[in-house]
Amino acid sequence: MAENLKEKIKKMAKMPSKEIKSVLPGVLGEVEKFGIEKMLGEMPDLYVRLIAALTKIDAAKFGTEAPDSLNKFLSLFWDGLIAVGSKNKEVIDACGKIPEGVKITQLSINFEATDSPLQAHFIVNDKASFSYGLGLLHFKDQDFKIYGPTESLMKLFLGEATLGAWSELDYEGHIGPFGLKMSPILRALFAISGSKN
Amino acid sequence: MHEVDTVCLRCHQKCHLKAVVEDRKITKIKDAACIKGTVIPDVMYHKDRVIYPKKRVGARGEGKWERIPMDQAISEIAAKLKALNEKFGYQQLFISGGSGQKQLADQALNMSKRMFPAPNIHWARYTCVTPATFAGRATVGERLVYEYNPDMRHAKCILFWGSNPDVTIPNAVRHAKDALKEGAKLIVVDPRPTPMAKRADVWLRIRPGTDAALALAMARIIINEELYDKEFVENWCFGFDYLKEHVQKYTLEYAEKVTWLSKEDIVKAARMYATTKPATLYPRLGGGAQHHNATQIGRSLCILVALTGNVDAKGGNLLFERPFYDAMMPSTYMTRFACRIPSEGKKMFGYDLYPILGKPGTVCDMPSIVRGMHNGSIRSLWCCGNNLISAEPNSKAIWDAMLNKLELIWVNEYFMTPTAELADYVLPAAFYQEVDNIVEPFVPPANYVSAMKKVVEPLGECRDDRQIAIDIAKAMGVDVSPWNTVMDYLNWNLRYQKITFEEMWNLPGHRINTPRAYWKYKTTKPAFLTPTGKCELYSTLFERYGVAPLPDHLEPPDSPLSTPEVYKDYPLIYVHYRIHCFQHSEGRMIERQRKLMPDALLEIAPETAEKNGIKDGDTVWLEIFHSAKKGDRLTYKAKLVPDLLPQVVCGPHGWWFPEKSAPEHGCFDSNINALLTHDPPYDPVVGVGQSQRMLCRIGKVDS
């Protein structure tokens, strides 16, 4: 099954946009059925390929037209990332540094697209324990928010967008956690999702 | 009688003081560093202080008011604002905060951005602070050449560049004086004979507006003579080779011609600054702000700091904000909480023109706002502690829009300023000693934030600006949590410290300290918060946004070199100066302050005065070439200043006369903002236009 699914995903790169739009929801369903962690083991560059497909079909437009599929992708993305990241030394080390100089053990981050319904949140603590959810945490519960065009958020998810230094993405929150506390964790996590191996 | 620790917020310095309280009134201030702190009780209990809300009942500006309860004022404002937002979108509101009520207004504006919501906010300091901010952020990811960066106490060489610390930072200047007593070298770049200029080892009496030419010529000397800090440049900087090639055109011959300084003095200053370590550079408005090339002038100064290895060096220019960032300190002024620009954020005025400016934590473009006031895209205005009419260039155009165009204006104020006179509602603002607040120091290497507890209850119906913002949002039906009260907001700011405001107040010194380390970039990852993670001599951030990655000198739009024909008729250059007894447009109604400077004085060199038939104390007029209305003149009292660069005249900004008749209160008489325009050219990063260093002429007013 894995080989067939891998082939399907690889083939998407050569498909015209219209065809990708029709097969992508099915592919996401199959990945879910197969198990995201197992799939990442089989195909470490899974996210790179899926996001390339989403970018090709205009992720913002696709997300607006098919929000369920967008949410399916987001669930798979965070599920997989958490499964692999919680065992990854770089990620664990980065999480362990959260309390340095501050009396907090947990950070909550919202992600919001300004051109599509993409909304998700992610919570991490100093023990490298993660959780995520679709939709946004209330302002009072968030430490910060990263927002901007869907495509830029997708780049961020692959570790290809700069955090800070006024990138294409904007943020809400104190500069401190964004620049110096959260960035190492996100960098380590998104190094996994951005793996091209 | 008892004493309470408090902080003076009447200027940037934030001096710690003691308030003597008798019978629930502050009767005296102890330990004030200057008159602004001493007279706090005079301000609070002034007979003209607004302590109850006023609603306009006559025509706008007619001066007819009725007293109404605060809650009624809040609910009426909220209802009108909501209706305007529904009809025109929330970008129709412009919120302007001034240096008055500075910390409180800053916070209120930022809270409003989220709560109302309001993308178009602006504070009056955008012409002076913002370019320096962006210059630093492009170079090292945070401010580098702002007021709190120079570590003067530990410096062996201090370079004051267009700054007059004896007047503007009377508290922090003691650190410079201590260092000078111990033998530190002193360089001053200034056309005015400031106290520091008079005692300098090298005084560069520069032609105003040519600071980048001087800085880049100094950079060329430092590079070509290999006086730069090789370790810092090689290991921590990006773009040295580009810079080296770039500055070669800034020859001494060029610099001499442009700056009117001698080659010898330029060389002497460059060598002294580069070879006396550590050296600190303290530029202020004279160092390049309020110029259409302001950000790049700031960049050229940052480059000097970097080339000489003085970035975050003890005695150099500190990365002052970094410890606050590291500790998630609630530093309200410096590490201002960045609120998400509402989803219509792309409609923040100026976003399309200046994409870097349009980011969270920054401000909208003022020229675009004024145009918007006139073309109907701005419909309402909230001035929160900002005397916009006096403080902003193009003030007659703003006056006209406020009088005739806007549908809703409300102002939080202490006094009936010209701006308040045009409001529909004037809300009485609580004074600093009447509110709870968190403040940070402004003097490196200090690294703490302090609780500043309410000393006395607000007079009348005076209310904290932040609470007014919350109350208006609530009245519009907005979910304001977690900021239901100001105390909620303060505690929310302290959440990463796991402490409440009350607990903080009970700490020794009422403060939270964080470790102060130097050369922090050596241990942080990334070293600098820039795209390359390095100190960017060549700015990749600017390059990304289509702005020149390396700075150049640009002449002011009208100047002896750019418009020599105009210079024949307008043979002088106008610059501003600061006044020790006032902060911007504030304080003119406070007798003990005003006594120290009763009149708006125009500084003129004696030889220039003589040429124009002017004597000390004469009433004189000033006319600028590029004026909002050709031929409009301001009047001042002449003050002859020996050793002032003879081609320069200097005036104070923001003057108005509370004693003159309402509604103008003389705000167009002696205030350069009445002549200034919002015309191009603009700084390509922050949109600032030329608001000083323009050609002018003067004459004696015949009696």
Side-chain angles (χ1 to χ4, degrees), chain B residues 345-572:
Chain B
K346 303 300 176 195
K347 290 179 183 172
M348 176 175 165
F349 279 55
Y351 187 95
D352 297 337
L353 301 168
Y354 311 103
I356 315 179
L357 183 70
K359 292 290 180 181
T362 57
V363 294
C364 56
D365 176 52
M366 196 60 198
S368 303
I369 289 288
V370 177
R371 282 192 293 274
M373 286 178 173
H374 281 273
N375 69 23
S377 44
I378 294 290
R379 301 271 173 164
S380 57
L381 166 66
W382 177 23
C383 285
C384 187
N386 185 16
N387 183 359
L388 188 64
I389 293 290
S390 295
E392 182 62 32
N394 211 8
S395 58
K396 286 185 175 171
I398 298 171
W399 177 275
D400 179 43
M402 287 178 69
L403 192 64
N404 301 309
K405 304 279 184 180
L406 299 182
E407 293 176 41
L408 171 65
I409 303 171
W410 80 99
V411 169
N412 297 19
E413 259 302 347
Y414 302 139
F415 295 100
M416 289 305 288
T417 64
T419 306
E421 295 282 3
L422 295 190
D424 304 321
Y425 298 89
V426 180
L427 306 184
F431 196 71
Y432 312 116
Q433 273 62 41
E434 295 171 334
V435 303
D436 295 313
N437 199 5
I438 301 170
V439 296
E440 75 292 311
F442 226 59
V443 185
N447 53 321
Y448 57 84
V449 292
S450 312
M452 176 185 168
K453 204 164 165 56
K454 184 192 290 184
V455 179
V456 290
E457 287 301 316
L459 286 184
E461 284 201 80
C462 292
R463 195 172 287 187
D464 187 321
D465 296 318
R466 298 163 297 181
Q467 191 62 51
I468 287 173
I470 291 169
D471 292 341
I472 291 173
K474 278 184 184 173
M476 287 196 292
V478 174
D479 171 11
V480 299
S481 60
W483 304 336
N484 284 297
T485 63
V486 168
M487 192 51 72
D488 289 343
Y489 168 77
L490 294 174
N491 289 332
W492 175 85
N493 268 286
L494 292 166
R495 67 199 186 283
Y496 296 125
Q497 311 298 324
K498 295 279 187 226
I499 194 170
T500 65
F501 179 81
E502 282 297 328
E503 288 165 343
M504 187 179 172
W505 174 253
N506 291 323
L507 293 175
H510 322 296
R511 64 179 59 165
I512 303 171
N513 295 291
T514 190
R516 161 61 64 192
Y518 298 94
W519 297 284
K520 289 175 288 292
Y521 58 85
K522 292 185 180 179
T523 54
T524 56
K525 194 179 172 188
F528 297 98
L529 302 176
T530 59
T532 58
K534 292 200 161 189
C535 170
E536 294 201 353
L537 302 172
Y538 179 100
S539 173
T540 60
L541 180 69
F542 281 4
E543 185 176 45
R544 185 191 302 168
Y545 286 102
V547 174
L550 288 163
D552 269 310
H553 164 66
L554 292 181
E555 275 292 310
D558 47 273
S559 82
L561 297 193
S562 59
T563 54
E565 287 307 308
V566 173
Y567 186 50
K568 287 177 192 162
D569 288 335
Y570 293 81
L572 296 168

Side-chain angles (χ1 to χ4, degrees), chain B residues 7 115 170 176 237 242 272 387 420 507 528 543 598 600:
Chain B
V7 181
M115 294 185 304
C237 291
Y242 295 121
M272 187 180 285
N387 183 359
L507 293 175
F528 297 98
E543 185 176 45

Side-chain angles (χ1 to χ4, degrees), chain B residues 9-12 43 96-109 122-125 333 383-388 391 412-415 417 429-432 465 582-587 653:
Chain B
L9 295 178
R10 296 198 71 212
C11 87
H12 307 268
V43 182
S96 180
S99 66
Q101 297 140 262
K102 63 173 74 314
Q103 275 229 338
L104 306 179
D106 278 355
Q107 295 170 64
L109 262 59
H122 149 280
W123 33 84
R125 299 180 300 287
Y333 185 79
C383 285
C384 187
N386 185 16
N387 183 359
L388 188 64
N412 297 19
E413 259 302 347
Y414 302 139
F415 295 100
T417 64
F431 196 71
Y432 312 116
D465 296 318
F582 298 125
Q583 170 80 349
H584 302 304
S585 67
E586 292 179 62
H653 77 301

